[in-house]
Amino acid sequence: MATAVSRPCAGRSRDILWRVLGWRIVASIVWSVLFLPICTTVFIIFSRIDLFHPIQWLSDSFSDLYSSYVIFYFLLLSVVIIIISIFNVEFYAVVPSIPCSRLALIGKIIHPQQLMHSFIHAAMGMVMAWCAAVITQGQYSFLVVPCTGTNSFGSPAAQTCLNEYHLFFLLTGAFMGYSYSLLYFVNNMNYLPFPIIQQYKFLRFRRSLLLLVKHSCVESLFLVRNFCILYYFLGYIPKAWISTAMNLHIDEQVHRPLDTVSGLLNLSLLYHVWLCGVFLLTTWYVSWILFKIYATEAHVFPVQPPFAEGSDECLPKVLNSNPPPIIKYLALQDLMLLSQYSPSRRQEVFSLSQPEETAFQTPKSSQMPRPSVPPLVKTSLFSSKLSTPDVVSPFGTPFGSSVMNRMAGIFDVNTCYGSPQSPQLIRRGPRLWTSASDQQMTEFSNPSPSTSISAEGKTMRQPSVIYSWIQNKREQIKNFLSKRVLIMYFFSKHPEASIQAVFSDAQMHIWALEGLSHLVAASFTEDRFGVVQTTLPAILNTLLTLQEAVDKYFKLPHASSKPPRISGSLVDTSYKTLRFAFRASLKTAIYRITTTFGEHLNAVQASAEHQKRLQQFLEFKE
Amino acid sequence: PHTNKFAVALLDDSVRVYNASSTIVPSLKHRLQRNVASLAWKPLSASVLAVACQSCILIWTLDPTSLSTRPSSGCAQVLSHPGHTPVTSLAWAPSGGRLLSASPVDAAIRVWDVSTETCVPLPWFRGGGVTNLLWSPDGSKILATTPSAVFRVWEAQMWTCERWPTLSGRCQTGCWSPDGSRLLFTVLGEPLIYSLSFPERCGEGKGCVGGAKSATIVADLSETTIQTPDGEERLGGEAHSMVWDPSGERLAVLMKGKPRVQDGKPVILLFRTRNSPVFELLPWAGPQAELPTSRCTLSMPSFHVLAQCLGGPRNPLLGVEALFMTCPSLLRHPQPLPLGTLSQGHHLFCPTPHIPTS
């Protein structure tokens, strides 16, 4: 692709991204900043807890709230939240990246972008912990305090000592920030799951708030415990460094040093550190959840562009072009919703190919009646790639499927490193939206003889002599390495993860299926011009082919086993079971069409095998 | 909802599936399947049955072509959420995508996505749990009845609800018109049928239920005495459950047995209805036009009656297939009564000659 063409494309995609998502991002940031005073108030109240003097406790807390320095801390914390939100925005993904092997997981964590993310989060964590420590007042507020011990010189020369509690606070903050970032990537928290039902944003937020607070409390407890262990062993390093750098003394008489067991068992310190952790995690999770809620809200794309300039955003254009993934997801979600709930928009869909259309709309009219058929046609291509693993298995049968997976894993070791597209390569299909040049690249990197290169009908290139010598050497090295257990430990692919990776963008296809089947079912009564019904044979053909491919895929060893489900956790793991949702929605889509049309379907042109399957669906025998 | 199959839950915690076209009766058992309270077939599928149990919901996927009489536990998917037990009411969305479940202990209705096993709780309100869920056939509204004198109507687009306090007692039963624009319901303790209309929705993309301001009484089912060729008969009383056929033309009301009426036997009353342009509810005059109401009287010598009324989609004339079974104890096999089942739904066989056949 020429760069001259790609630059306007990139510019257009950023443009449409900003137009659709812009106000959502800004609104979510504003709301997370507005939530901050509530969090801070609760934090102040809990940090001054004094159960024996409740009235004084509450009045002290509220009087502290009105003091001027708290306003300064509000501003500082707002800046922190804004920075965290910006990171949320930069790192989100609608398609989860699932590492298939341990090496890929390590690669994901030590990727430079992720390292920067972790570093910034650690720094922000330290800033927040500093604010929290200062707001707490008391003995935790300052890093440097005058020493209280008497010295042998007799003169009360004010020596400055290191306040180890404050240092402990700062380091805990940094540790929590770093752990948050680590868990963010390991648990795929940058994945944006779309809600299964549409609800008003406030209701969604209210429902998740309680779970969020509970989760923060528990996680803070674990992090404090981990950090205490870390500090016990390694706490002397920062202590020594700070005290020599700032020329401070360590006062041993006021309190015990913290890197001992007796020092660490200071309940007041632990309580305040835990509370600081809860405050930090709650505010960060709130900004994350607000971003998720705002970003996954349904967006209404106009079916017919009202003006010529708005044509970029209209539904057929978005579905047929290659916009950023989230725009495509939102468009497909909108298609699904309009096909079920909006009779007037459905009428627009069904009416687009009227002869009295204006001239500039006519080129698009042929696209609109089948906005989803192109994606679905591609889906069927995608699925025919899914069926090629059956071709691979004879190659590996003497060794069992696990060895076969490992062999396939070795072949893909270079390509599986940190890239979201790579897990697909084990199942040897280029991803749905890759261009032709990428397809050629994957052919080169995949020297397995039974590849789908022939199955896909691509022409095999005549290998040159040097190329074949290089391939032989590569195979020899890989065979040698495969016998080393340590290498295998890192490179072996986890079958469940590979299967999840194949279906990681299935949500898009599920919506396309639902939208298409609802439109076809509605067209039985609402389509006056036969716009959809002329394409009915093609649609049925595609759906039945897809059904066959999915059935074949689910016969593979690990495909039909469900991963264990943890309920009540903040982390969303619905991407792990997307393949079942895909299979179920495909079946429901076919049934929807057969029950609506009934016996009329016998008049549709289809191959003999498809006729047989259709008959089975009509008799409810599937 | 598409084939002639029904499922019966027995007291021994097993579920049997009877099929009109085969003699095989698969019996479904699972270690978590205890105290089954509700069964629901999934629309737009061949054989997916949701079973509401004491501690969870089981989704059985039965192969329609299989000949086994004891499907393994592997065919069952377990959906559970802590605190949402016992599950007493289930409702599938007519589009087949979502399952609603309600429990009297948990005040929130849960919306499940069965394939990914995730659930979303709807906003909950005080006033006891939810006893019954009923989805309108067009998929737009849900009736949720509670043990108190309030019922709620939810709309399925943005999931907001409207609250309807009744005058006395809880909502006993309800049924929706096929296009979702009218709800007929009865209240415990009153022999009346109320109607609530829901005009077209106010705006697309926004959720609003849009119910009328108040419900109107459309039928009075108080006891009356009717002259029949056999002598005087008393009919009437409170309704136990109601079913509207999918074409919107017939309404069947199962009346509770009262000692003075028909010797305590339950009775089904059939009405002819029309929803557009105006709603009307008339007693159905069958071929015997001299009878004010067509009624079928059935004797049911048992104390556990499981009545399941299915609307047959291929049934233009008599839109009700009614099946009555006795399940008195664990030991005996449930047997259909001699006046029970229908094969294609065109006839309601009955020994008494009053029933019009069509």
Side-chain angles (χ1 to χ4, degrees):
Chain A
M1 215 192 301
T3 48
V5 177
S6 65
R7 235 180 281 129
C9 281
R12 256 208 303 268
S13 62
R14 281 203 81 84
D15 204 27
I16 190 172
L17 201 63
W18 183 248
R19 259 183 298 168
V20 172
L21 283 187
W23 72 268
R24 296 181 179 204
I25 295 171
V26 170
S28 71
I29 295 181
V30 165
W31 279 107
S32 11
V33 167
L34 287 177
F35 194 75
L36 198 56
I38 306 172
C39 271
T40 319
T41 313
V42 174
F43 173 70
I44 292 178
I45 292 177
F46 274 100
S47 67
R48 302 221 192 306
I49 194 165
D50 186 0
L51 290 169
F52 297 113
H53 306 99
I55 310 284
Q56 193 176 4
W57 163 38
L58 287 173
S59 60
D60 274 348
S61 319
F62 283 111
S63 64
D64 278 335
L65 268 179
Y66 292 119
S67 45
S68 56
Y69 68 90
V70 172
I71 310 290
F72 166 69
Y73 293 130
F74 271 147
L75 289 174
L76 188 61
L77 290 172
S78 314
V79 170
V80 168
I81 293 290
I82 291 175
I83 294 177
I84 300 289
S85 305
I86 291 174
F87 269 89
N88 279 339
V89 168
E90 287 298 316
F91 278 86
Y92 77 88
V94 279
V95 177
S97 69
I98 301 171
C100 308
S101 58
R102 289 181 192 88
L103 189 73
L105 184 63
I106 294 174
K108 196 171 156 183
I109 296 172
I110 63 176
H111 197 261
Q113 270 189 332
Q114 271 78 304
L115 281 180
M116 186 187 66
H117 186 269
S118 308
F119 177 70
I120 300 284
H121 274 75
M124 293 297 116
M126 197 182 279
V127 170
M128 279 195 84
W130 177 75
C131 289
V134 173
I135 292 176
T136 311
Q137 294 175 348
Q139 49 181 321
Y140 307 118
S141 307
F142 302 103
L143 188 63
V144 178
V145 289
C147 294
T148 54
T150 54
N151 48 21
S152 54
F153 283 52
S155 58
Q159 287 188 325
T160 48
C161 283
L162 175 68
N163 183 0
E164 201 175 353
Y165 291 151
H166 193 87
L167 183 67
F168 190 75
F169 252 90
L170 295 182
L171 292 174
T172 313
F175 179 74
M176 286 193 181
Y178 179 72
S179 312
Y180 174 85
S181 166
L182 204 65
L183 288 173
Y184 185 81
F185 287 110
V186 168
N187 287 337
N188 261 330
M189 275 167 48
N190 58 339
Y191 168 61
L192 285 182
F194 282 81
I196 62 176
I197 57 174
Q198 300 296 315
Q199 275 186 305
Y200 287 114
K201 295 189 284 282
F202 175 66
L203 292 175
R204 283 177 67 188
F205 177 65
R206 196 178 65 173
R207 174 173 33 102
S208 28
L209 194 59
L210 189 61
L211 181 63
L212 197 149
V213 172
K214 235 182 355 182
H215 188 260
S216 308
C217 293
V218 171
E219 195 172 315
S220 178
L221 206 59
F222 281 118
L223 290 178
V224 168
R225 179 202 68 178
N226 292 347
F227 183 69
C228 287
I229 296 172
L230 193 68
Y231 195 83
Y232 180 73
F233 290 112
L234 300 175
Y236 64 94
I237 300 173
K239 242 190 336 187
W241 179 58
I242 295 266
S243 53
T244 46
M246 295 174 65
N247 204 14
L248 300 167
H249 294 266
I250 297 180
D251 193 343
E252 303 255 334
Q253 281 133 8
V254 177
H255 54 254
R256 295 200 195 93
L258 279 180
D259 52 353
T260 58
V261 176
S262 48
L264 279 173
L265 280 180
N266 183 346
L267 278 181
S268 159
L269 172 73
L270 290 179
Y271 170 72
H272 281 101
V273 167
W274 171 79
L275 197 65
C276 164
V278 171
F279 175 57
L280 187 146
L281 288 172
T282 308
T283 45
W284 288 9
Y285 278 133
V286 159
S287 77
W288 169 72
I289 270 209
L290 280 172
F291 174 68
K292 261 199 336 183
I293 290 176
Y294 267 93
T296 55
E297 196 193 358
H299 183 261
V300 175
F301 288 86
V303 174
Q304 266 168 330
F307 309 107
E309 302 88 47
S311 63
D312 264 353
E313 260 189 53
C314 73
L315 199 57
K317 186 93 192 293
V318 172
L319 287 176
N320 283 322
S321 64
N322 216 359
I326 190 169
I327 305 290
K328 195 132 206 168
Y329 268 65
L330 286 173
L332 282 167
Q333 188 184 44
D334 188 42
L335 177 72
M336 179 201 61
L337 291 174
L338 87 81
S339 66
Q340 289 188 37
Y341 298 116
S342 311
S344 64
R345 291 179 77 205
R346 279 203 296 266
Q347 276 306 112
E348 283 183 45
V349 172
F350 292 141
S351 70
L352 269 182
S353 57
Q354 293 182 36
E356 53 264 21
E357 271 184 312
T358 58
F360 85 91
Q361 279 184 344
T362 327
K364 295 197 187 68
S365 67
S366 55
Q367 296 175 13
M368 188 52 209
R370 309 162 248 189
S372 322
V373 174
L376 281 187
V377 167
K378 288 186 187 170
T379 313
S380 67
L381 282 178
F382 164 64
S383 67
S384 63
K385 293 169 176 54
L386 293 184
S387 58
T388 53
D390 298 337
V391 178
V392 179
S393 48
F395 167 72
T397 355
F399 306 97
S401 60
S402 57
V403 177
M404 186 261 292
N405 280 338
R406 277 190 228 136
M407 299 291 266
I410 297 164
F411 296 155
D412 292 315
V413 82
N414 297 328
T415 46
C416 200
Y417 181 81
S419 143
Q421 296 189 8
S422 49
Q424 302 265 349
L425 294 176
I426 346 155
R427 297 295 171 223
R428 54 223 80 219
R431 274 177 65 95
L432 203 55
W433 312 109
T434 48
S435 59
S437 57
D438 288 327
Q439 289 179 1
Q440 291 166 6
M441 265 170 46
T442 60
E443 286 172 14
F444 279 149
S445 67
N446 204 344
S448 160
S450 62
T451 55
S452 58
I453 296 171
S454 45
E456 292 167 4
K458 300 208 178 20
T459 54
M460 273 298 269
R461 292 164 195 281
Q462 292 304 319
S464 62
V465 175
I466 299 176
Y467 171 65
S468 53
W469 180 81
I470 292 175
Q471 292 304 313
N472 284 336
K473 283 293 156 205
R474 273 176 83 177
E475 281 190 41
Q476 281 178 2
I477 294 173
K478 281 169 182 169
N479 284 333
F480 172 72
L481 286 178
S482 70
K483 300 195 180 66
R484 300 284 168 270
V485 176
L486 191 62
I487 308 278
M488 289 314 306
Y489 179 76
F490 281 109
F491 289 151
S492 61
K493 285 214 190 307
H494 195 237
E496 174 67 34
S498 330
I499 294 173
Q500 284 173 19
V502 170
F503 281 93
S504 54
D505 62 348
Q507 178 66 289
M508 207 163 43
H509 304 306
I510 292 173
W511 282 335
L513 281 171
E514 284 188 22
L516 188 67
S517 64
H518 273 110
L519 278 175
V520 170
S523 77
F524 189 65
T525 47
E526 293 178 15
D527 187 7
R528 289 169 297 169
F529 304 105
V531 159
V532 173
Q533 294 186 10
T534 47
T535 57
L536 192 58
I539 294 174
L540 279 178
N541 221 4
T542 318
L543 289 179
L544 289 170
T545 319
L546 195 56
Q547 165 80 7
E548 280 170 23
V550 167
D551 277 344
K552 259 196 270 180
Y553 188 80
F554 269 85
K555 293 199 172 72
L556 289 181
H558 292 271
S560 40
S561 57
K562 271 203 178 20
R565 181 180 148 254
I566 323 154
S567 70
S569 141
L570 202 62
V571 175
D572 186 285
T573 52
S574 63
Y575 60 87
K576 295 188 179 169
T577 43
L578 272 177
R579 58 186 186 272
F580 301 104
F582 181 68
R583 179 174 63 164
S585 71
L586 176 61
K587 220 171 212 167
T588 309
I590 300 180
Y591 268 118
R592 192 171 289 130
I593 298 180
T594 54
T595 48
T596 318
F597 283 85
E599 295 299 323
H600 299 290
L601 279 181
N602 290 327
V604 169
Q605 307 273 354
S607 72
E609 211 182 287
H610 284 166
Q611 289 271 12
K612 249 193 308 183
R613 275 200 96 111
L614 262 182
Q615 200 53 36
Q616 296 233 319
F617 272 100
L618 282 168
E619 293 169 9
F620 291 93
K621 285 219 169 77
E622 276 285 328
Chain B
H2 306 287
T3 54
N4 293 311
K5 225 187 265 197
F6 60 90
V8 178
L10 304 178
L11 287 175
D12 63 350
D13 293 333
S14 71
V15 171
R16 286 183 200 223
V17 179
Y18 291 86
N19 195 338
S21 52
S22 95
T23 50
I24 299 166
V25 179
S27 167
L28 309 175
K29 288 195 184 179
H30 195 276
R31 61 180 174 86
L32 292 174
Q33 188 173 282
R34 281 188 308 266
N35 293 335
V36 174
S38 174
L39 301 167
W41 288 100
K42 180 175 172 186
L44 297 179
S45 80
S47 285
V48 176
L49 177 68
V51 178
C53 315
Q54 170 75 26
S55 57
C56 61
I57 304 170
L58 286 177
I59 311 284
W60 287 94
T61 309
L62 307 169
D63 186 0
T65 52
S66 100
L67 300 169
S68 83
T69 53
R70 188 69 193 269
S72 73
S73 307
C75 302
Q77 196 183 338
V78 179
L79 300 178
S80 71
H81 194 271
H84 194 67
T85 68
V87 185
T88 49
S89 172
L90 293 175
W92 285 98
S95 60
R98 304 282 174 254
L99 175 67
L100 291 184
S101 74
S103 164
V105 168
D106 186 1
I109 304 171
R110 290 194 171 263
V111 184
W112 292 88
D113 180 5
V114 172
S115 342
T116 54
E117 297 187 12
T118 47
C119 71
V120 169
L122 293 180
W124 59 274
F125 305 92
R126 262 185 289 273
V130 174
T131 48
N132 207 12
L133 292 169
L134 194 64
W135 212 305
S136 71
D138 69 334
S140 62
K141 289 184 267 290
I142 298 123
L143 168 71
T145 59
T146 64
S148 58
V150 162
F151 65 89
R152 292 188 173 86
V153 177
W154 293 84
E155 51 86 20
Q157 193 171 356
M158 295 299 282
W159 299 90
T160 55
C161 72
E162 269 189 7
R163 185 173 171 273
W164 292 91
T166 63
L167 295 173
S168 61
R170 62 182 174 92
C171 174
Q172 168 74 19
T173 180
C175 61
W176 288 97
S177 69
D179 59 353
S181 66
R182 191 167 291 275
L183 171 69
L184 296 178
F185 64 95
T186 65
V187 170
L188 186 70
E190 291 180 11
L192 304 166
I193 299 181
Y194 292 89
S195 151
L196 194 55
S197 71
F198 294 89
E200 285 304 306
R201 91 191 91 220
C202 33
E204 295 184 356
K206 300 191 246 305
C208 71
V209 183
K213 290 291 174 209
S214 61
T216 50
I217 299 175
V218 292
D220 188 348
L221 302 175
S222 326
E223 288 181 25
T224 52
T225 314
I226 300 169
Q227 297 293 336
T228 67
D230 294 335
E232 267 193 11
E233 293 202 22
R234 293 189 66 86
L235 280 182
E238 283 176 38
H240 183 264
S241 62
M242 288 197 296
V243 149
W244 209 329
D245 96 302
S247 64
E249 291 175 8
R250 300 280 182 269
L251 179 74
V253 182
L254 176 68
M255 310 295 293
K256 280 187 194 167
K258 283 181 100 152
R260 287 184 307 166
V261 177
Q262 299 285 334
D263 304 321
K265 296 177 218 153
V267 171
I268 297 183
L269 296 179
L270 297 171
F271 295 90
R272 183 161 51 91
T273 60
R274 196 170 61 171
N275 207 12
S276 62
V278 281
F279 175 70
E280 55 178 38
L281 180 77
L282 301 168
W284 184 31
Q288 290 108 327
E290 64 269 16
L291 280 180
T293 54
S294 297
R295 76 245 183 270
C296 52
T297 59
L298 308 119
S299 37
M300 294 192 246
S302 73
F303 24 83
H304 295 284
V305 175
L306 187 67
Q308 202 162 8
C309 288
L310 313 161
R314 297 188 186 84
N315 204 338
L317 297 170
L318 180 66
V320 172
E321 301 176 359
L323 183 69
F324 298 93
M325 309 272 300
T326 62
C327 317
S329 70
L330 308 166
L331 303 170
R332 273 196 275 166
H333 286 291
Q335 300 161 24
L337 290 171
L339 27 110
T341 186
L342 321 165
S343 54
Q344 279 300 53
H346 292 294
H347 310 282
L348 186 63
F349 296 112
C350 184
T352 68
H354 295 294
I355 302 307
T357 54
S358 47

